[in-house]
Amino acid sequence: MTIQESLKNWAKDAVDVFNPLSQTTSTQFYLQSPLDQITAPVDTLVLGINPGSNGERSILSPEQFLEGNKNWEERFPSTEEGTHVSPKWAKYFGNGHFMLCGDQDRHNNSIDDNKKTVWSNLTPFATPEASKLSKDHLINGVPVTVELIQILNPKRIILLTTEGFDYIEKYANTNIERRPLVKDVTTNKIIEIGTIAGIPTIQLPHPSGNWGFPKHFLPMIVQLHKLHAVDDEIKPIEEVATKIKNQLRRIAVI
Protein backbone atom coordinates (compact mmCIF):
# COMPACT_ATOMS: atom_id res chain seq x y z
CA MET A 1 0.00 0.00 0.00
CA THR A 2 1.36 3.45 -0.91
CA ILE A 3 1.52 6.32 1.57
CA GLN A 4 -1.27 8.11 -0.28
CA GLU A 5 -3.49 5.03 -0.07
CA SER A 6 -2.73 4.78 3.65
CA LEU A 7 -3.57 8.46 4.11
CA LYS A 8 -6.90 8.04 2.32
CA ASN A 9 -7.82 5.12 4.59
CA TRP A 10 -6.67 7.12 7.62
CA ALA A 11 -8.76 10.13 6.56
CA LYS A 12 -11.87 7.99 6.07
CA ASP A 13 -11.58 6.58 9.59
CA ALA A 14 -10.80 10.05 10.97
CA VAL A 15 -13.84 11.83 9.54
CA ASP A 16 -16.07 8.98 10.69
CA VAL A 17 -15.05 10.02 14.22
CA PHE A 18 -14.64 13.78 13.75
CA ASN A 19 -17.84 14.61 11.83
CA PRO A 20 -20.21 13.52 14.61
CA LEU A 21 -17.91 14.95 17.30
CA SER A 22 -17.95 18.28 15.47
CA GLN A 23 -21.73 18.32 15.69
CA THR A 24 -21.96 17.42 19.37
CA THR A 25 -19.24 19.89 20.43
CA SER A 26 -20.13 22.67 17.95
CA THR A 27 -16.51 23.00 16.82
CA GLN A 28 -14.94 23.03 13.38
CA PHE A 29 -12.07 20.70 12.48
CA TYR A 30 -9.46 20.74 9.73
CA LEU A 31 -5.82 19.95 8.99
CA GLN A 32 -3.19 22.61 8.25
CA SER A 33 -0.85 21.76 5.36
CA PRO A 34 -2.35 19.49 2.66
CA LEU A 35 -1.74 15.76 2.88
CA ASP A 36 -3.07 14.87 -0.56
CA GLN A 37 0.36 15.73 -2.05
CA ILE A 38 2.39 13.34 0.12
CA THR A 39 3.97 10.43 -1.77
CA ALA A 40 6.96 9.53 0.45
CA PRO A 41 8.05 9.78 4.10
CA VAL A 42 8.48 13.43 5.08
CA ASP A 43 11.50 15.19 6.55
CA THR A 44 9.72 17.07 9.34
CA LEU A 45 6.33 16.91 11.04
CA VAL A 46 5.42 20.07 12.96
CA LEU A 47 2.64 19.64 15.50
CA GLY A 48 0.91 22.45 17.36
CA ILE A 49 -1.90 21.83 19.81
CA ASN A 50 -4.93 22.85 17.69
CA PRO A 51 -5.80 25.20 14.78
CA GLY A 52 -6.52 28.08 17.16
CA SER A 53 -9.58 29.59 15.49
CA ASN A 54 -13.30 29.76 16.09
CA GLY A 55 -15.35 28.08 13.36
CA GLU A 56 -18.72 26.40 13.11
CA ARG A 57 -19.43 22.71 12.83
CA SER A 58 -17.79 20.72 10.02
CA ILE A 59 -18.94 17.92 7.76
CA LEU A 60 -15.93 16.87 5.70
CA SER A 61 -15.34 14.06 3.25
CA PRO A 62 -12.01 12.21 3.50
CA GLU A 63 -10.85 14.06 0.38
CA GLN A 64 -11.74 17.46 1.85
CA PHE A 65 -9.99 16.59 5.12
CA LEU A 66 -6.77 15.67 3.28
CA GLU A 67 -6.83 18.97 1.38
CA GLY A 68 -6.01 20.75 4.65
CA ASN A 69 -6.64 24.37 5.58
CA LYS A 70 -8.29 26.12 2.64
CA ASN A 71 -6.31 29.25 3.54
CA TRP A 72 -2.94 27.48 3.81
CA GLU A 73 -1.48 29.01 0.65
CA GLU A 74 -2.19 32.50 2.04
CA ARG A 75 0.59 32.12 4.63
CA PHE A 76 2.88 33.80 2.08
CA PRO A 77 1.75 36.55 -0.31
CA SER A 78 3.70 34.90 -3.12
CA THR A 79 5.11 31.51 -4.11
CA GLU A 80 8.48 33.11 -4.85
CA GLU A 81 11.53 31.94 -2.91
CA GLY A 82 12.38 34.36 -0.09
CA THR A 83 8.91 35.89 0.21
CA HIS A 84 8.23 37.06 3.78
CA VAL A 85 5.34 35.47 5.71
CA SER A 86 1.98 37.26 5.51
CA PRO A 87 1.21 39.53 8.51
CA LYS A 88 -1.97 37.67 9.48
CA TRP A 89 0.00 34.40 9.65
CA ALA A 90 2.91 35.89 11.58
CA LYS A 91 1.88 34.99 15.13
CA TYR A 92 1.60 31.20 14.85
CA PHE A 93 3.09 30.16 11.53
CA GLY A 94 5.64 32.98 11.26
CA ASN A 95 6.97 32.48 14.78
CA GLY A 96 6.95 28.71 14.35
CA HIS A 97 8.81 29.11 11.05
CA PHE A 98 11.41 31.24 12.85
CA MET A 99 11.85 28.58 15.53
CA LEU A 100 12.61 25.97 12.88
CA CYS A 101 14.98 27.87 10.60
CA GLY A 102 15.71 31.30 12.07
CA ASP A 103 13.67 33.46 9.69
CA GLN A 104 10.17 34.02 8.28
CA ASP A 105 11.09 33.82 4.60
CA ARG A 106 9.83 31.22 2.15
CA HIS A 107 12.13 28.25 1.40
CA ASN A 108 10.46 26.28 -1.37
CA ASN A 109 12.94 23.42 -1.46
CA SER A 110 12.93 22.62 2.25
CA ILE A 111 10.69 23.79 5.10
CA ASP A 112 8.00 25.23 2.80
CA ASP A 113 7.75 22.23 0.50
CA ASN A 114 4.44 20.58 1.42
CA LYS A 115 5.84 17.22 0.42
CA LYS A 116 8.80 17.50 2.81
CA THR A 117 7.37 19.36 5.82
CA VAL A 118 3.91 18.74 7.23
CA TRP A 119 2.28 21.23 9.60
CA SER A 120 -0.54 19.79 11.67
CA ASN A 121 -1.88 19.62 15.23
CA LEU A 122 -2.36 17.11 18.02
CA THR A 123 -6.09 17.64 17.57
CA PRO A 124 -7.71 19.15 14.45
CA PHE A 125 -10.52 20.84 16.38
CA ALA A 126 -10.47 24.63 16.15
CA THR A 127 -11.02 26.55 19.37
CA PRO A 128 -10.00 30.17 20.07
CA GLU A 129 -7.60 28.96 22.77
CA ALA A 130 -6.12 25.54 23.54
CA SER A 131 -7.69 25.72 27.01
CA LYS A 132 -11.10 25.51 25.30
CA LEU A 133 -10.40 22.01 23.99
CA SER A 134 -12.63 19.43 25.63
CA LYS A 135 -11.52 16.06 26.89
CA ASP A 136 -13.48 14.50 24.01
CA HIS A 137 -11.39 16.50 21.51
CA LEU A 138 -8.19 15.15 23.05
CA ILE A 139 -9.36 11.57 23.59
CA ASN A 140 -10.47 11.31 19.96
CA GLY A 141 -7.93 13.59 18.28
CA VAL A 142 -4.55 12.64 19.74
CA PRO A 143 -4.64 8.91 18.85
CA VAL A 144 -5.59 9.79 15.26
CA THR A 145 -2.57 12.12 15.06
CA VAL A 146 -0.31 9.35 16.36
CA GLU A 147 -1.62 7.15 13.54
CA LEU A 148 -0.70 9.95 11.13
CA ILE A 149 2.83 10.01 12.55
CA GLN A 150 3.20 6.32 11.80
CA ILE A 151 2.02 6.80 8.20
CA LEU A 152 4.17 9.86 7.44
CA ASN A 153 7.20 8.32 9.19
CA PRO A 154 9.00 11.70 9.49
CA LYS A 155 12.72 11.96 10.16
CA ARG A 156 11.93 14.23 13.10
CA ILE A 157 8.98 15.76 14.93
CA ILE A 158 8.70 19.32 16.27
CA LEU A 159 6.11 19.75 19.04
CA LEU A 160 5.11 23.40 19.31
CA THR A 161 3.42 22.98 22.67
CA THR A 162 4.84 22.23 26.09
CA GLU A 163 1.96 19.79 26.65
CA GLY A 164 2.64 17.62 23.61
CA PHE A 165 4.48 14.76 25.30
CA ASP A 166 1.97 14.83 28.18
CA TYR A 167 -1.05 14.53 25.87
CA ILE A 168 0.46 11.74 23.79
CA GLU A 169 1.40 9.81 26.94
CA LYS A 170 -2.10 10.28 28.36
CA TYR A 171 -4.31 9.76 25.33
CA ALA A 172 -2.37 7.58 22.86
CA ASN A 173 -0.95 4.12 23.31
CA THR A 174 2.53 4.68 21.90
CA ASN A 175 6.11 4.43 23.07
CA ILE A 176 7.62 7.72 24.28
CA GLU A 177 10.98 8.78 25.69
CA ARG A 178 11.59 12.31 26.97
CA ARG A 179 14.42 14.25 28.60
CA PRO A 180 14.37 17.90 29.74
CA LEU A 181 17.11 20.14 28.36
CA VAL A 182 16.69 23.65 29.75
CA LYS A 183 14.13 25.66 31.75
CA ASP A 184 13.33 29.35 31.62
CA VAL A 185 13.46 30.50 35.25
CA THR A 186 10.89 33.26 34.72
CA THR A 187 8.12 31.30 32.96
CA ASN A 188 9.20 27.80 34.10
CA LYS A 189 8.76 26.60 30.51
CA ILE A 190 10.92 23.63 29.61
CA ILE A 191 12.47 22.54 26.31
CA GLU A 192 12.56 18.76 26.02
CA ILE A 193 13.87 16.22 23.55
CA GLY A 194 12.69 12.66 23.17
CA THR A 195 11.16 10.17 20.80
CA ILE A 196 7.61 9.33 19.69
CA ALA A 197 7.36 5.80 18.32
CA GLY A 198 11.15 5.91 17.98
CA ILE A 199 11.17 9.17 15.98
CA PRO A 200 13.45 11.98 17.26
CA THR A 201 11.29 14.74 18.74
CA ILE A 202 11.87 18.16 20.26
CA GLN A 203 9.25 20.01 22.31
CA LEU A 204 9.23 23.82 22.33
CA PRO A 205 6.88 26.49 23.72
CA HIS A 206 3.93 27.34 21.46
CA PRO A 207 4.95 30.16 19.09
CA SER A 208 1.81 32.26 19.65
CA GLY A 209 2.48 32.79 23.36
CA ASN A 210 5.29 34.08 25.55
CA TRP A 211 8.21 31.88 24.57
CA GLY A 212 10.12 32.60 27.75
CA PHE A 213 13.40 31.92 25.94
CA PRO A 214 15.31 34.57 23.94
CA LYS A 215 14.20 34.84 20.32
CA HIS A 216 17.46 33.60 18.78
CA PHE A 217 17.87 30.76 21.29
CA LEU A 218 15.13 28.49 19.95
CA PRO A 219 16.38 28.08 16.33
CA MET A 220 19.80 27.20 17.75
CA ILE A 221 18.28 24.47 19.92
CA VAL A 222 16.33 23.08 16.94
CA GLN A 223 19.51 22.93 14.86
CA LEU A 224 21.39 21.18 17.68
CA HIS A 225 18.57 18.66 17.88
CA LYS A 226 19.55 17.43 14.43
CA LEU A 227 22.34 15.59 16.26
CA HIS A 228 19.63 13.09 17.23
CA ALA A 229 19.52 11.65 13.71
CA VAL A 230 22.74 11.73 11.70
CA ASP A 231 23.07 9.87 8.39
CA ASP A 232 19.77 8.07 9.09
CA GLU A 233 21.15 6.69 12.37
CA ILE A 234 19.13 7.65 15.43
CA LYS A 235 21.46 8.45 18.32
CA PRO A 236 20.58 7.50 21.92
CA ILE A 237 18.57 10.22 23.61
CA GLU A 238 20.91 10.50 26.60
CA GLU A 239 23.89 10.99 24.30
CA VAL A 240 22.09 13.71 22.35
CA ALA A 241 20.87 15.49 25.49
CA THR A 242 24.40 15.52 26.88
CA LYS A 243 25.87 16.90 23.65
CA ILE A 244 23.29 19.69 23.47
CA LYS A 245 23.76 20.62 27.13
CA ASN A 246 27.54 20.67 26.65
CA GLN A 247 27.14 23.06 23.72
CA LEU A 248 24.91 25.34 25.83
CA ARG A 249 27.42 25.36 28.69
CA ARG A 250 29.95 26.95 26.34
CA ILE A 251 27.78 30.09 26.18
CA ALA A 252 28.43 32.75 28.82
CA VAL A 253 27.29 36.34 29.29
CA ILE A 254 30.19 38.81 28.86
Side-chain angles (χ1 to χ4, degrees):
M1 185 179 295
T2 67
I3 286 182
Q4 195 53 224
E5 289 170 338
S6 296
L7 285 171
K8 288 177 181 178
N9 289 337
W10 169 83
K12 181 181 183 302
D13 292 340
V15 298
D16 284 346
V17 174
F18 294 157
N19 279 330
L21 185 57
S22 176
Q23 308 310 302
T24 58
T25 60
S26 299
T27 45
Q28 183 183 22
F29 72 94
Y30 56 89
L31 295 170
Q32 292 288 9
S33 65
L35 298 182
D36 55 359
Q37 304 175 19
I38 305 297
T39 57
V42 301
D43 290 342
T44 304
L45 173 61
V46 186
L47 292 174
I49 177 61
N50 73 323
S53 62
N54 189 19
E56 299 179 355
R57 300 176 181 90
S58 302
I59 293 290
L60 298 181
S61 68
E63 293 77 16
Q64 289 171 324
F65 188 48
L66 289 176
E67 288 173 0
N69 187 341
K70 63 182 180 180
N71 299 315
W72 181 248
E73 290 307 318
E74 296 177 9
R75 69 197 191 282
F76 292 104
S78 166
T79 59
E80 294 296 319
E81 180 81 12
T83 304
H84 197 69
V85 68
S86 298
K88 69 178 182 179
W89 282 79
K91 189 173 184 180
Y92 163 64
F93 176 77
N95 284 342
H97 196 283
F98 180 85
M99 286 180 179
L100 270 63
C101 66
D103 64 35
Q104 295 186 343
D105 298 334
R106 186 165 191 143
H107 302 287
N108 287 324
N109 294 321
S110 55
I111 187 175
D112 299 308
D113 183 338
N114 290 330
K115 293 183 179 180
K116 295 180 179 179
T117 301
V118 169
W119 294 73
S120 194
N121 292 287
L122 288 175
T123 170
F125 285 91
T127 58
E129 299 174 359
S131 61
K132 302 295 184 182
L133 287 169
S134 71
K135 189 174 181 180
D136 283 340
H137 291 144
L138 296 167
I139 289 174
N140 291 282
V142 175
V144 172
T145 298
V146 171
E147 292 174 6
L148 176 62
I149 291 172
Q150 295 168 338
I151 295 171
L152 295 177
N153 192 25
K155 293 179 181 177
R156 62 175 181 156
I157 299 170
I158 312 291
L159 295 175
L160 296 181
T161 167
T162 52
E163 298 174 309
F165 280 131
D166 291 337
Y167 284 149
I168 292 174
E169 283 184 321
K170 186 173 182 179
Y171 297 112
N173 183 22
T174 190
N175 182 38
I176 285 181
E177 288 186 280
R178 59 193 296 189
R179 299 291 186 277
L181 282 179
V182 290
K183 181 175 76 172
D184 178 80
V185 296
T186 302
T187 64
N188 287 324
K189 290 183 177 178
I190 296 174
I191 293 176
E192 296 185 69
I193 63 170
T195 60
I196 299 173
I199 299 169
T201 304
I202 184 168
Q203 179 168 275
L204 304 166
H206 193 275
S208 65
N210 178 11
W211 298 358
F213 299 91
K215 180 177 181 180
H216 295 284
F217 182 76
L218 296 173
M220 178 181 69
I221 290 290
V222 171
Q223 294 307 309
L224 286 172
H225 180 246
K226 290 184 177 180
L227 293 168
H228 205 157
V230 181
D231 297 328
D232 294 327
E233 178 185 355
I234 299 176
K235 304 294 183 181
I237 188 171
E238 295 289 0
E239 176 185 329
V240 178
T242 299
K243 285 183 177 181
I244 294 176
K245 289 178 181 179
N246 287 342
Q247 289 291 326
L248 298 177
R249 290 189 184 102
R250 297 174 61 184
I251 300 173
V253 177
I254 57 173

